[in-house]
C-alpha cells in the first residue's frame, strides 16, 4: 500500500461571517486526506488575515485577492503549491475564478451554482474540455450514502417502472426581510451577485439535481409558479412546478425559503409500479422502502448494514446508530475528489484521460442546474403550460 | 334536561362487500344518538337480506330498492318512520336518490361526492333550497378535532398572512389493475358510476375541501396535470395541481392512488408570515405549530388539552393519549347532524329557518368539490396554464 | 344467517363527570350489537337522572342504586331484562356488585381492577366457578389488533427465544396535587376506594397484563421501587420493577403518573434471539418488527393488511391508513363479550359449558393483576431483592 | 488574534479492523485544530505500517510499540514532538499506557473506560494529581450540543424538582455469539482485556455518565440485574437497574447488547414537577421539552437556534436542519481538549494551575464509571436490594 499523500487545496471566499466556507473546511478535513494550504478569504483585509490566522495558515499564503493567490501559488515548487482551488464566493464570481484557475492548471471544487446563467456554464464547460483540470461541484446532498442507496433502488429495478416523483425543499429562513438577517440573505437575494433566481438557484437546483440523480432520468418539461413574498425582495423566494421526465415519470417540485419554521427539509419520494422509496435530508441515515403489498421497511446507513449497496456503504464511516450528517456528506464529495486527483497523479494520466472524478458532481450537473433555473423563470412568466428544460448533453 | 331522542335513520347501499357503508354504521352508532331502523343495502336480494339480518333490522324494514324504502317509510307513523336517509351507493345515484328523499321530506346524509357533475350538484342545491330538508355530506376529514383546530389557528391570525398551502393525498391501492382488486376499485374507475374523474373525485376533493376549510379561502385558479397509469383504466388515477386562492395564498395539491405502499396519507401544511401548521390524517390527534423564530410545538387532541379551541375540544371523547381516529371523525359529523335534526324538531322550526347543520359539510361543499373536479379535468387537457375554479356561491 | 340480536346491558356508575363510563358507552355502541337498557349511574340522584335522560333511557330503568337495579331488572320478562351488567364504579365496589350480579344471574363486564385485593379476587373467582355467568374485565389494551399481532409474533416463534421485555406506562396527569384535579384523581388516590395501590393498580396492572398477554408467560418474580411524589398523597403514584418470567425472560416494568407532560404512553418492547417487536398505545396501528440482521419493517393494522394474523385482522374495521384507536379497542372486548353471550344463548349452553368468552380478559386476568399489585407493594417495602408473584392458576 | 497552532497528537491502537480508532481520527481532524503526527497502531507490524501509510505519516513516526513511541517522541525537539497521546487500545491497557504517558509528560486522551477497576482508576487519578498533564476521557455523548442543552434545562430549574430519570441504551450487535462477529466483539467479551463487565463497562457507563451529567447529581444507590444471554460468553451482555440519586430523583437504567435489531439507541428522559425533557442519540439534534400543562415543544440544534443555551450553541457548526452527528460530538471533545492545551501553553501555566479542560470529561468521570460497574456487579450477585455507589469525590 502506497503512502497516502494529502492533497493541497486553497480557498477563495469563506472569511468570517460566511456560512459555507467553514462547512467546506470541516468537510475537507474530516478524513485527513486533504490539507488547506492557502486562501484569499475576504476582500476585507482584516477579515482575510483573521481567517488565515484562525486556520493556522502561513502568513505568506493568505492572499489579498484570488488573482494574487493564483499567481503566487503557481510560482511555488510543484510539490508545495496547492493542487486544487475551492471557490466559495458569491455566485457571480464562480465562473470567472473557475476559468482563471483552470487556465493556471489548478483543479477546481466549486460551491454551487456552477454559474449564474446557462450560457456562462457552457463557456465553463468548453474551457474544461480543453483542459486537464478536474472540476467538482458541491451538490452536497449527492454525497449522502442513502442518496446513492436511493439511486440504486431505483436503477436496479426494485421499484419497477417509475411513475411519480415528489421532491420538496422547504426552508423558512427568508420568511422575514433581509434587514433582519445576515449578509447571507443579502447577497443571495441580490440579482447581481446571485444570478437571475433566488430560491430556485439556491435550493431549487438541489431539489432538481436530486431528482435527476436518483432517477437517472432528465426532467424534460415543467410548469412553474414562482413568487416573491417579502416586500422589496428582488428575486423569487418561493416556487413550485409540475414536472415530467424523459423516463415517463411525472411529479412535483417544491422549493421555498418562506416556509416559516422549516429548517432544511429536503425530501424526495419516488413511486414505481412495484414499490416506493422516501428519503429526507434531516434524517439522512434512513430510507423507507415500500414494496407493493408488503409491510414497509427501513434501510439504515452504517458500515456493513444489511441491504446497502456498495456505493452507499462506501460513504459510511460508522456503524448504524452513530448518526452521520451534512458535513460527512460533503466530506464524501471531497474524499472522491481528492482520490481522483491522487489517482491522476499516480498514474501520470491527464484528467481528460482519467475522466471525471467518480462520485463527484461536475460541470454537467452545473449545466443541468442552470437549465432548470432558466426553464423555471421562463415558465413562471408564461401563459403557456409546459416549458421544456433544455437538453444540456 | 330533556330526554335524548335517538334519531332514526335508513341507509341505501352499504351491503356486504362495500367498504363505506359499514363505516357509516359504526360512526352513526358510536355516540348512541342515532338508530339505524331500515335499509336497502344491495340490489342483490340475498346480500340485502343478509346485511339486514346482521344488523338486527326488522325484516319488513329491509327493502328491495331505495324507491320502495322511501314509499314504505313514508307510510309509517311519524314517530316510527326514519327521519334521515344515508346514501352510500356508487356516485351516479347520489343525486337521484337525494332528490327523491328530499321530495319525500327526509333529511339526507350522503357519502361524497354530492353529485357526478357540477350541473347535477346545482340542481340538487336548488331542490334543497325549496325544501325543509337538512343535507349533510360525508367529508369525513372535516370531522377531525384537529382539522377544526387548524382552521382556528389560521383564521385567528396566529400564522399571520397566509402565503403557502401544500396539501397531498397519496394512496397506493390502485397501483395495480382492477382485476386484482375488489368491487370497490371497479366501480370507482367506471366513468358511468363514478363520474368524469377517478382519483380527483375520490380523494382529490377531500384534499381540496380540506384546503378551503382550513384556510376559509376559496381556490380561484389552478393548473393541473392528471394522469392514468394503469393500462385499461378509464379515469385518472393520479394528479397534481398548482393552486391559488382568493386570499392571496398559493400552493400545491397532490392526489394519487398509484403511490405504491401509501395508505391514506392525507396531509396539509399551511405557512403564513408568522408561522406554520401541519396536520396529517394518519396521526390525526396532533398538529405541529411552527411559530416563526421559536421552537416548534405540538398541540394534541383530547378533552381539556391546553391550547385547543372549543370547536376542537367539543369533538374529543377521551383525554389526550387515548387515540381517536377515522370512525370518531365521521361520528362527529353524524353527531352534529343528529343534533340539528333534534333541534329543528324541538323548536318546531323548519330547516330553512334553522339553517344548515353547524359542523356538518353540506351542499355548498358538494358544489365546491364538483367545481374542483371540473377545473382539474379542463386544466389537465389544456395548453393554457391557469384555469379558474368556478365561484359556486 | 341468523338475525343478530342486540345484547341488552345495564351500567352501574358512569354518571356525569366520570371518565370511564362514557368510554364504555361509546365502546359498546360502536358495532351496533349491544344496547344499553338501564343504569344506576350515580348516587347523586340528579346526576343519575340527567345521565339517564342524556342516554335516552326509559325513566323507570334509571335506578337509584345498583341494588334496586338488580332487583328490578330481575323482575322484568326475560326477553326485556338486561343480560349483562357493566360495572364502572370506584374500585372497592367492583367485587360486591359483581357478586350480587352473579347471584342474580347476570353476566358481568367490569372495569379493572377486578378487585381491591388478591383475596377478594379469589372469592370472586370461586363465585364465578359456581355460576353460569360470563365475566369480562376491561383490560382495554388487550382489545387492540396489534397487541394480538404482537402476541402472535412472539408465540409463533418469529422472535426466537425471548430474552428481554421492557414495558413502560408513563402518564403525567397526577404530577400536581389532587386539588388541582377532578374527582377522578381524588378517588383514585383514596385507599378506601382504590385499594392498596395508586399507580400500580391504575396503570401498572395494564403494563403487567400486557407483558403476560404478549409473551404468554407469567411474571414469576420482581423487585420493585414504588414512590409517592406529591405531598399528602396516600398511595403510590410512581414505580418501577425489575421482572423475570417463567419463560426465562427478564426485563423492566415502569408505571408512573407523575411523568409531567406524558399522556398515556404505554409501550412494550420484546427481544428474542431472532428479532424484536415494539408496540405503543399512542400509535396503536403499527408494530415495528426488527428481524435480526435485516432492515426493520412496520406491520400496519387494517382489514386485509399483509402479514397480519387472523386475530389482529378480525379486530380491524377499516383499511390501513384510517386510524382506529382506544374506543375501537374497547369495542373489540365488548364485541367478543356480546358474541359469547349470544352464542351461549343460541346453543342453549350454560357458560361453564361454553367456557370463557374468547378474546375477552376474565377473572384470571383480574387475579394476575391483584397478584402483581401485592408483589409490588411487598417488594417495595422490603430489603430483600426478589419477591415472587403468586401463581394464581 | 493569534495564529492558531495545530496541536500534535499521537495514537496507540486503532489499526486496521478496529472501530474506534478511525472514529477518533475523523473527530480530531474535523475542525483542523489537531494534527496526528505519530502512532503505534497495532502489535501486528504489517497492520501497523499499513495504517501509518494510509494516514500519510512519516515512516519513522510509526512505532512498533507504545513504549517505543513514548521514548522516541520524547527525544524529538519540543516543537515537533507530539503533545498528547490518544489511547484506543483494549481496556486493560488504558491505565498502564496512561501512566507511562503522564510520566513522560504527555497529555492523554483516552477512550473509555478509564480503567478496568475502581482501584486502578484511583491510582491513575493520584498520578494525574501529581502531574501537569491534561487528561480527557472519550465520553463521546457528552460532546453533543443537546446533551449540554439538556443539562442546562435541568440545572436552570426549568423542570422544577427532578423526580424521575429513565435512561436506556439498547444495542443488538451481540445478539449472536462472538464467532459470528469481528474482533471487536471478541476482546470486548474477554474479561482479561475488557475488565470485569461486558455491557455495563461498554455502554452502561455511557448511560450512567449521561444521567449524572444531565442531572448534575450523583447516583447513590442502585439495584441491578445483570445477565449473560449467549452461551459461552464470559461477561454480562445485558442488564438493568433501579437507581436513586443524591438529589432525590429515582429511576431506571437499562443497558443491553442483545436487543436484536437495535443500533445504538441511547436515550434519556428526565421528569420534574414542572416539566420533562427527552433526548435520544440517534436523533441527537432535538430535545423534546414537555412543560407541565402546555403543548410540548422541540428544541433543535443549530447555530443561533432560539432557546439554545450557550454551551449547546457553541457545539454546533451548522444551521439547524443540517444534521450533525456522532463524529461531530467527539470532535467537540477534541476541540475543547486542544483549546485547553493551547491555552495552557499560551499562558505558560501548568495544567494543575489551569485546571481540567472545560467541556471534556476527565478522570473523575472515569472514576464514576468504575464505581458504577463495581456497584452493578456487586448488586447483581447479591440478595440484598439496594447497594450504594461509592462516592468517588
Amino acid at each position: 500500500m502506497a503512502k497516502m499523500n494529502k492533497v493541497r487545496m486553497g480557498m477563495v471566499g469563506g472569511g468570517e461571517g460566511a456560512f459555507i466556507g467553514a462547512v467546506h473546511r470541516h468537510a475537507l478535513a474530516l478524513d485527513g486526506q486533504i490539507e488547506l494550504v492557502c486562501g484569499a478569504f475576504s476582500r476585507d483585509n482584516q477579515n482575510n488575515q483573521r481567517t488565515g490566522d484562525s486556520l493556522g495558515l502561513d502568513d505568506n499564503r493568505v492572499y489579498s485577492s484570488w488573482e494574487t493567490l493564483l499567481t503566487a501559488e503557481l510560482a511555488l515548487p510543484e510539490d508545495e503549491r496547492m493542487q486544487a482551488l475551492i471557490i466559495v464566493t458569491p455566485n457571480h464570481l464562480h465562473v470567472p475564478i473557475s476559468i482563471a484557475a483552470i487556465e493556471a492548471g489548478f483543479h477546481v471544487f466549486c460551491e454551487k451554482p456552477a454559474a449564474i446563467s446557462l450560457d456562462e456554464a457552457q463557456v465553463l464547460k468548453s474551457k474544461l474540455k480543453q483542459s486537464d483540470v478536474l472540476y467538482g461541484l458541491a451538490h452536497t446532498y449527492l454525497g449522502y450514502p442513502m442518496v446513492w442507496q436511493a439511486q440504486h433502488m431505483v436503477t436496479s429495478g426494485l421499484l419497477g417502472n417509475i411513475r411519480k416523483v415528489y421532491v420538496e425543499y422547504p426552508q423558512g429562513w427568508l420568511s422575514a426581510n433581509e434587514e433582519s438577517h445576515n449578509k447571507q440573505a443579502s447577497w443571495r437575494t441580490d440579482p447581481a451577485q446571485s444570478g437571475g433566481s433566488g430560491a430556485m438557484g439556491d435550493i431549487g437546483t438541489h431539489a432538481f439535481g436530486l431528482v435527476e440523480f436518483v432517477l437517472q432520468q432528465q426532467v424534460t418539461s415543467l410548469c412553474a409558479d414562482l413568487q416573491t413574498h417579502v416586500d422589496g425582495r428582488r428575486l423569487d423566494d418561493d416556487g413550485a412546478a409540475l414536472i415530467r421526465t424523459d423516463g415517463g415519470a411525472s411529479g412535483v417540485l417544491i422549493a421555498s425559503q418562506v416556509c416559516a419554521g422549516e429548517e432544511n427539509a429536503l425530501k424526495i419520494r419516488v413511486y414505481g409500479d412495484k414499490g416506493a422509496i422516501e428519503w429526507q435530508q434531516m434524517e439522512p441515515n434512513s430510507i423507507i422502502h415500500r414494496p407493493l403489498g408488503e409491510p414497509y421497511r427501513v434501510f439504515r446507513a452504517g458500515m456493513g448494514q444489511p441491504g446497502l449497496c456498495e456505493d452507499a456503504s462506501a460513504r459510511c464511516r460508522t456503524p448504524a446508530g452513530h448518526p452521520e450528517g451534512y458535513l460527512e456528506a460533503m466530506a464524501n464529495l471531497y474524499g472522491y475528489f481528492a482520490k481522483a486527483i491522487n489517482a491522476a497523479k499516480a498514474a501520470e494520466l491527464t484528467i481528460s484521460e482519467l475522466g471525471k472524478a467518480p462520485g463527484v458532481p461536475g460541470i454537467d450537473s452545473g449545466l443541468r442546474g442552470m437549465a432548470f433555473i432558466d426553464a423555471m423563470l421562463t415558465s413562471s412568466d408564461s401563459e403557456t403550460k409546459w416549458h421544456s428544460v433544455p437538453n444540456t448533453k
Side-chain angles (χ1 to χ4, degrees), chain A:
Chain A
M1 184 181 180
K3 189 180 290 298
M4 185 272 289
N5 286 302
K6 290 200 181 193
V7 174
R8 297 177 303 280
M9 298 198 183
M11 178 175 278
V12 181
E16 281 179 19
F19 154 56
I20 205 70
V23 165
H24 279 254
R25 289 189 296 260
H26 290 300
L28 70 85
L30 183 67
D31 294 329
Q33 316 279 315
I34 296 168
E35 191 176 10
L36 187 71
V37 295
C38 65
F41 303 103
S42 174
R43 281 167 300 188
D44 169 344
N45 196 42
Q46 302 228 329
N47 182 334
N48 192 33
Q49 283 304 327
R50 281 198 309 272
T51 305
D53 282 350
S54 75
L55 300 169
L57 293 186
D58 285 349
D59 289 343
N60 60 352
R61 293 180 85 175
V62 179
Y63 302 103
S64 59
S65 71
W66 58 267
E67 294 90 343
T68 322
L69 180 149
L70 290 175
T71 317
E73 287 291 318
L74 210 47
L76 293 175
E78 202 180 331
D79 63 351
E80 206 176 306
R81 115 180 29 138
M82 78 168 181
Q83 297 167 268
L85 182 64
I86 299 161
I87 304 173
V88 288
T89 62
N91 301 346
H92 67 297
L93 296 173
H94 288 186
V95 166
I97 302 177
S98 294
I99 286 180
I102 293 164
E103 289 176 344
F106 294 111
H107 303 302
V108 170
F109 192 91
C110 190
E111 179 51 36
K112 58 141 273 295
I116 56 172
S117 73
L118 181 52
D119 284 352
E120 206 195 18
Q122 264 151 348
V123 170
L124 177 56
K125 181 170 180 176
S126 305
K127 198 80 198 176
L128 280 164
K129 269 194 182 157
Q130 301 150 20
S131 78
D132 286 338
V133 158
L134 201 57
Y135 178 87
L137 193 62
H139 271 281
T140 307
Y141 303 115
L142 308 186
Y144 275 115
M146 297 317 255
V147 167
W148 286 81
Q149 176 72 7
Q151 185 197 72
H152 170 76
M153 293 169 93
V154 169
T155 58
S156 69
L158 185 67
L159 309 187
N161 190 37
I162 302 306
R163 291 167 168 174
K164 303 300 298 181
V165 57
Y166 305 129
V167 68
E168 59 185 55
Y169 197 158
Q171 290 183 331
W173 71 296
L174 292 178
S175 289
N177 61 28
E178 279 69 8
E179 280 131 48
S180 63
H181 283 78
N182 54 17
K183 81 177 189 187
Q184 294 301 318
S186 81
W187 76 253
R188 279 167 204 262
T189 56
D190 172 7
Q193 296 184 74
S194 193
S197 166
M200 293 310 112
D202 202 13
I203 62 172
T205 46
H206 280 302
F208 178 83
L210 186 60
V211 167
E212 294 203 341
F213 181 81
V214 168
L215 297 193
Q216 291 290 295
Q217 296 180 12
Q218 291 216 343
V219 175
T220 48
S221 55
L222 53 76
C223 169
D225 186 17
L226 303 190
Q227 308 208 346
T228 305
H229 289 274
V230 173
D231 284 349
R233 188 168 288 163
R234 290 170 292 166
L235 294 172
D236 58 282
D237 53 22
D238 166 86
L242 306 172
I243 60 175
R244 291 184 173 178
T245 77
D246 59 2
S250 62
V252 172
L253 179 151
I254 291 171
S256 177
Q257 297 180 309
V258 297
C259 285
E262 295 286 0
E263 298 175 353
N264 199 43
L266 176 61
K267 171 174 162 181
I268 187 168
R269 290 174 284 178
V270 181
Y271 298 91
D273 56 12
K274 294 187 184 163
I277 54 169
E278 176 177 333
W279 177 82
Q280 27 193 336
Q281 193 268 151
M282 285 172 58
E283 212 307 44
N285 298 301
S286 296
I287 282 189
I288 299 175
H289 173 217
R290 307 182 192 275
L292 190 61
E294 291 178 42
Y296 73 84
R297 55 208 61 186
V298 181
F299 288 79
R300 296 273 304 154
M303 302 182 308
Q305 272 299 98
L308 282 209
C309 67
E310 204 181 300
D311 281 324
S313 286
R315 282 167 174 80
C316 298
R317 290 163 189 79
T318 54
H322 301 74
E324 298 192 49
Y326 181 76
L327 297 176
E328 286 81 359
M330 190 183 276
N332 285 333
L333 301 189
Y334 270 104
Y336 282 94
F337 190 65
K339 212 167 285 181
I341 290 174
N342 276 330
K345 201 173 134 192
E348 314 245 341
L349 296 171
T350 59
I351 296 297
S352 49
E353 288 166 317
L354 176 78
K356 294 182 300 178
V360 189
I363 185 60
D364 288 336
S365 296
L367 283 167
R368 294 303 298 155
M370 300 319 299
F372 162 75
I373 294 171
D374 260 26
M376 291 292 279
L377 292 170
T378 312
S379 169
S380 187
D381 283 345
S382 161
E383 292 301 310
T384 305
K385 193 167 176 181
W386 291 105
H387 283 260
S388 57
V389 181
N391 185 330
T392 53
K393 279 181 182 165

